[in-house]
Amino acid sequence: MCGIIGYIGKSEATGILIKGLKDLEYRGYDSGGIAVLNEKKLKTVKAKGEIRRLEEKLGGKDLGGTLGIGHTRWATHGKANEINAHPHCSNHFAVVHNGIIENYKEIKESLSMSGITFESETDTEVIPKLLELNYNGDVLDAIKKTVRLLEGSYALGILCTDDENTLYCTKKGSPLIIGVGKGENFIASDVNPLLHYTKDAVYLEDGETAAITAENITVYDSNFAETKKEIKTLSLSKSAADKGDFEHFMLKEIYEEPDVVRNTLNAVTDDGEIMFSDIPFTQEDFKALNRVYIVGCGSAYHVGLIAKYNFEKIAKIPAFAEYAGEFRYADTVIDESCLVIIISQSGETADSLAALKQAREMGAKTISVVNVPESSIAKMSHYNLLTLAGAEIAVATTKAFSCQLAMLNMLCLYIARQRNACTEVFSEIAVNMSSLLPKKIEKVLAKEDELKALAKEIKDMDKCFFLGRNVDYGVSLEGALKLKEISYIDCVGYPASELKHGTISLIEKDTVCFGLISNKDLLPKTVSNLIEVIARGAKVIVFAPESLKNDLPQFETVITYPDSIPLLTPSIEVIPLQLLAYHVAYEKGLPIDKPRNLAKSVTVE
Ligand code: M6R
């Protein structure tokens, strides 16, 4: 996490750095800071909290300089305070860092023994101190000697007081992009801050270092030999980062779901046929698979869990949903007969990236479902299925989740087809998805007022449970995560059958239980579980398709959504849960788009 930005050119750096940090704030908002270099002097300003605090502290003043670096922090080592805020400095150097230096304690101990002192509790501060120690007038040489001592991950922006014409940067395991301007250049953790100024970019690879002046970019490989880099054209447009008429990005992004799901599906379908152009696997490869692992973190894992049920039911292949952070350390038996599908909005989640790397090393076929085309995960997998959610700004994912789910459905049908399973309904389902799903999502959006009223009613609950079976269990987990991450209410999703094996002891008078029932066959089972909790005083709110409403007379509150074929139901069922979470957090007056302690992109494990 953390976002870094850097600028060198002819304009005042301060405003450009602040604007860039605002674009990167989704990566962390515990503190912000900038350093600007002018006349061999570093001027640094830092503030605890969101970037607007840093801006307030600057009071509209420029620091006076056209070369600078900036940072927005998600605290890992040390409290979220001003001392721990970046940039961190030594006599000649200022450094901003995204990543984690795993051996910082050893380095700190050995530097302390030589009398070097530290101000902060951060892992980062060892970097400017090491640069200083290794500096003999040659900045690149100091960087080379320093990075060889670092274990862990880093993207670094570096200034040296002796070199007023160069912005240095280097990376390993954390993203860093160079924006190529005219008479000015930029560095940033992602493309968003760059898009204000340029569409040309150079992507640094792990181990590479760059020395950037206003006119030139020189990149060095891991042996510090000069290397040529391709300039790529950025495809995203800037408009997505605008709230429009909405009060929050989250609500705007929920309302974008019909369009982005349609775009995602249309991009891979043609006349009801699924077209994964240039997929590097043959029909024989798919037939030879003996299992599928679907891997992700947070909401991406929930997509995987829902898809797991569908892969087994429709593609008739053993499928397992795995948390990336567990998968990577679980000694799972992986070989070339496995397909590992990695799901990630950002494409930079550290655990998901590590899981992918491991799967590749063990010979698995890998497919990623990612929203950012140039991200590390998209680039590392054998094949990426791009979701077209556009930039998602709110920390709580909504539209990216829906696009991932839609894409996993397509992949499931494609694999079913390749393995000659379920061919008869294939085209019908694919057509249904791209033409009908967005319309059904629109119908749920029209129920926003009903969910707003429900939110007002339940906003003061201190805990709640989401219960479902099969795919409804996956949606339950997502409903619980959505509500807890923005409303700070203690919510847990469970398989409906599991509650009585322990958790039911938590049910007391008026505990809220959300029951998810999308499947007529499983309805009697989940209903009896819900009746068990009502008997213990719980207040039950059921979410079900319109056609099941009459089968649920025992429940006071039933929120309905349009019926659909089972494959698509989770995509529709999740929308009211997203709206409910939004309105509960709204009623509680919480910072919906930037909930406490969180960051959009989790690039540390
Ligand atoms: O970028 P990714 O999809 O890899 O992120 C995975 C999770 O961090 C993410 O889904 C997280 O759980 C969201 N905050 C949930 O809304």
Side-chain angles (χ1 to χ4, degrees):
M1 336 243 280
C2 300
I4 69 171
I5 180 91
Y7 173 76
I8 183 158
K10 295 184 182 58
S11 307
E12 269 292 342
T14 306
I16 294 169
L17 297 174
I18 294 291
K19 189 169 176 178
L21 289 179
K22 284 186 177 166
D23 286 332
L24 293 172
E25 210 173 2
Y26 72 88
R27 301 177 71 91
Y29 30 85
D30 286 333
S31 64
I34 58 169
V36 166
L37 178 58
N38 192 14
E39 295 181 350
K40 294 196 165 233
K41 286 203 173 55
L42 283 168
K43 284 190 195 158
T44 306
V45 179
K46 305 179 187 188
K48 182 182 170 191
E50 295 177 17
I51 298 304
R52 66 192 162 88
R53 301 268 175 237
L54 178 63
E55 210 176 10
E56 277 160 25
K57 199 163 176 189
L58 283 160
K61 288 201 196 90
D62 286 319
L63 294 184
T66 61
L67 166 59
I69 50 178
H71 188 268
T72 182
R73 178 168 186 248
W74 185 83
T76 56
H77 297 70
K79 290 183 204 75
N81 60 23
E82 209 170 299
I83 294 177
N84 291 330
H86 301 211
H88 289 285
C89 300
S90 53
N91 280 351
H92 291 87
F93 294 93
V95 172
V96 286
H97 169 216
N98 167 211
I100 286 187
I101 305 305
E102 287 166 1
N103 58 339
Y104 83 100
K105 273 199 182 137
E106 294 90 301
I107 298 175
K108 209 166 173 177
E109 265 167 37
S110 92
L111 293 181
S112 301
M113 284 201 286
S114 334
I116 293 170
T117 54
F118 292 85
E119 280 180 8
S120 76
E121 305 160 288
T122 65
D123 53 334
T124 304
E125 200 182 353
V126 300
I127 302 170
K129 304 288 171 157
L130 280 176
L131 286 168
E132 194 69 45
L133 201 68
N134 290 319
Y135 183 55
N136 56 10
D138 181 343
V139 182
L140 274 178
D141 186 57
I143 295 175
K144 179 175 168 182
K145 288 179 175 147
T146 297
V147 294
R148 287 190 178 155
L149 298 170
L150 302 178
E151 285 168 21
S153 58
Y154 52 81
L156 302 174
I158 302 168
L159 302 180
C160 176
T161 53
D162 285 344
D163 193 348
E164 284 187 287
N165 297 316
T166 317
L167 165 63
Y168 293 91
C169 63
T170 184
K171 85 161 218 102
K172 188 188 127 199
S174 299
L176 193 59
I177 304 160
I178 303 173
V180 185
K182 289 199 172 62
E184 58 183 3
N185 290 306
F186 309 79
I187 60 169
S189 298
D190 81 21
V191 298
N192 283 317
L194 307 177
L195 290 168
H196 299 290
Y197 311 98
T198 181
K199 287 218 155 191
D200 292 334
V202 170
Y203 286 84
L204 275 198
E205 297 300 329
D206 281 355
E208 289 180 338
T209 298
I212 306 166
T213 66
E215 304 292 344
N216 285 306
I217 296 164
T218 314
V219 179
Y220 302 89
D221 66 15
S222 52
N223 295 315
F224 280 73
E226 216 175 302
T227 180
K228 279 254 158 306
K229 296 288 288 185
E230 190 191 339
I231 298 186
K232 299 215 168 154
T233 306
L234 302 173
S235 50
L236 280 174
S237 75
K238 201 61 213 117
S239 60
D242 181 357
K243 273 192 277 217
D245 292 335
F246 291 90
E247 204 171 329
H248 296 99
F249 279 111
M250 184 178 174
L251 193 61
K252 175 183 178 239
E253 288 162 2
I254 292 174
Y255 272 86
E256 282 170 4
E257 291 188 58
D259 283 343
V260 294
V261 165
R262 186 181 293 112
N263 295 344
T264 297
L265 292 174
N266 282 345
V268 292
T269 42
D270 188 11
D271 212 12
E273 282 300 312
I274 298 173
M275 313 293 285
F276 291 156
S277 58
D278 302 327
I279 189 163
F281 308 127
T282 62
Q283 182 162 25
E284 289 319 306
D285 289 333
F286 282 110
K287 280 188 180 158
L289 290 178
N290 64 31
R291 58 202 187 279
V292 175
Y293 292 92
I294 315 173
V295 182
C297 298
S299 295
Y301 165 77
H302 301 155
V303 172
L305 183 58
I306 296 165
K308 166 224 147 59
Y309 290 103
N310 291 326
F311 270 71
E312 298 212 316
K313 190 169 169 185
I314 296 170
K316 309 275 186 253
I317 184 162
F320 306 87
E322 303 279 348
Y323 286 111
E326 287 295 307
F327 181 80
R328 63 183 290 197
Y329 295 119
D331 298 324
T332 309
V333 181
I334 303 286
D335 55 31
E336 59 286 349
S337 69
C338 300
L339 171 65
V340 175
I341 302 167
I342 305 282
I343 308 174
S344 175
Q345 186 283 128
S346 60
E348 300 295 349
T349 300
D351 281 327
S352 305
L353 183 59
L356 168 61
K357 198 166 166 217
Q358 201 175 19
R360 279 205 70 147
E361 281 165 8
M362 293 172 92
K365 298 174 177 61
T366 61
I367 294 180
S368 57
V369 176
V370 163
N371 199 41
V372 181
E374 292 294 343
S375 61
S376 308
I377 292 175
K379 286 198 278 187
M380 192 190 281
S381 56
H382 289 108
Y383 189 63
N384 181 51
L385 288 168
L386 186 66
T387 50
L388 296 179
E392 191 179 60
I393 308 293
V395 164
T397 181
T398 53
K399 62 175 180 169
F401 175 93
S402 289
C403 290
Q404 289 164 353
L405 203 50
M407 192 58 103
L408 260 292
N409 286 344
M410 284 298 184
L411 184 55
C412 171
L413 292 177
Y414 183 84
I415 294 177
R417 182 69 173 272
Q418 298 291 311
R419 292 169 67 87
N420 298 330
C422 227
T423 45
E424 68 285 2
V425 288
F426 184 86
S427 288
E428 195 193 323
I429 299 174
V431 170
N432 231 317
M433 276 214 262
S434 49
S435 64
L436 290 186
L437 179 57
K439 288 191 190 125
K440 293 192 189 258
I441 296 176
E442 269 162 20
K443 283 197 176 147
V444 186
L445 294 177
K447 290 181 145 254
E448 189 187 349
D449 284 346
E450 194 181 337
L451 293 153
K452 205 175 185 170
L454 178 60
K456 281 186 206 285
E457 213 181 293
I458 61 173
K459 70 174 175 25
D460 293 321
M461 63 190 170
D462 55 7
K463 65 171 184 280
C464 66
F465 299 93
F466 285 74
L467 308 173
R469 286 168 182 263
N470 199 272
V471 291
D472 294 340
Y473 165 50
V475 180
S476 295
L477 292 184
E478 179 59 9
L481 178 61
K482 214 80 312 168
L483 185 56
K484 83 176 86 165
E485 71 180 321
I486 60 169
S487 73
Y488 313 154
I489 293 168
D490 193 354
C491 324
V492 194
Y494 278 106
S497 58
E498 266 299 301
L499 213 65
K500 58 181 166 293
H501 296 288
T503 312
I504 202 162
S505 65
L506 294 174
I507 304 287
E508 47 196 350
K509 190 173 176 318
D510 293 334
T511 302
V512 175
C513 290
F514 298 100
L516 273 58
I517 305 178
S518 69
N519 179 317
K520 197 171 169 81
D521 297 339
L522 293 175
L523 180 140
K525 308 285 170 201
T526 307
V527 165
S528 67
N529 299 135
L530 295 175
I531 286 172
E532 285 157 14
V533 296
I534 289 177
R536 281 144 184 98
K539 176 182 172 62
V540 167
I541 295 156
V542 176
F543 290 82
E546 281 148 11
S547 64
L548 294 187
K549 170 114 189 181
N550 292 339
D551 297 305
L552 299 163
Q554 46 294 64
F555 302 106
E556 234 174 78
T557 314
V558 180
I559 308 282
T560 59
Y561 50 81
D563 282 80
S564 128
I565 54 168
L567 182 67
L568 303 191
T569 305
S571 299
I572 303 162
E573 187 181 23
V574 75
I575 310 293
L577 304 183
Q578 295 173 347
L579 284 169
L580 182 67
Y582 172 82
H583 282 291
V584 170
Y586 187 92
E587 288 300 322
K588 296 180 79 142
L590 292 170
I592 293 176
D593 288 335
K594 287 186 209 150
R596 71 182 176 207
N597 302 341
L598 286 170
K600 181 78 183 158
S601 174
V602 184
T603 56
V604 294
E605 65 171 297

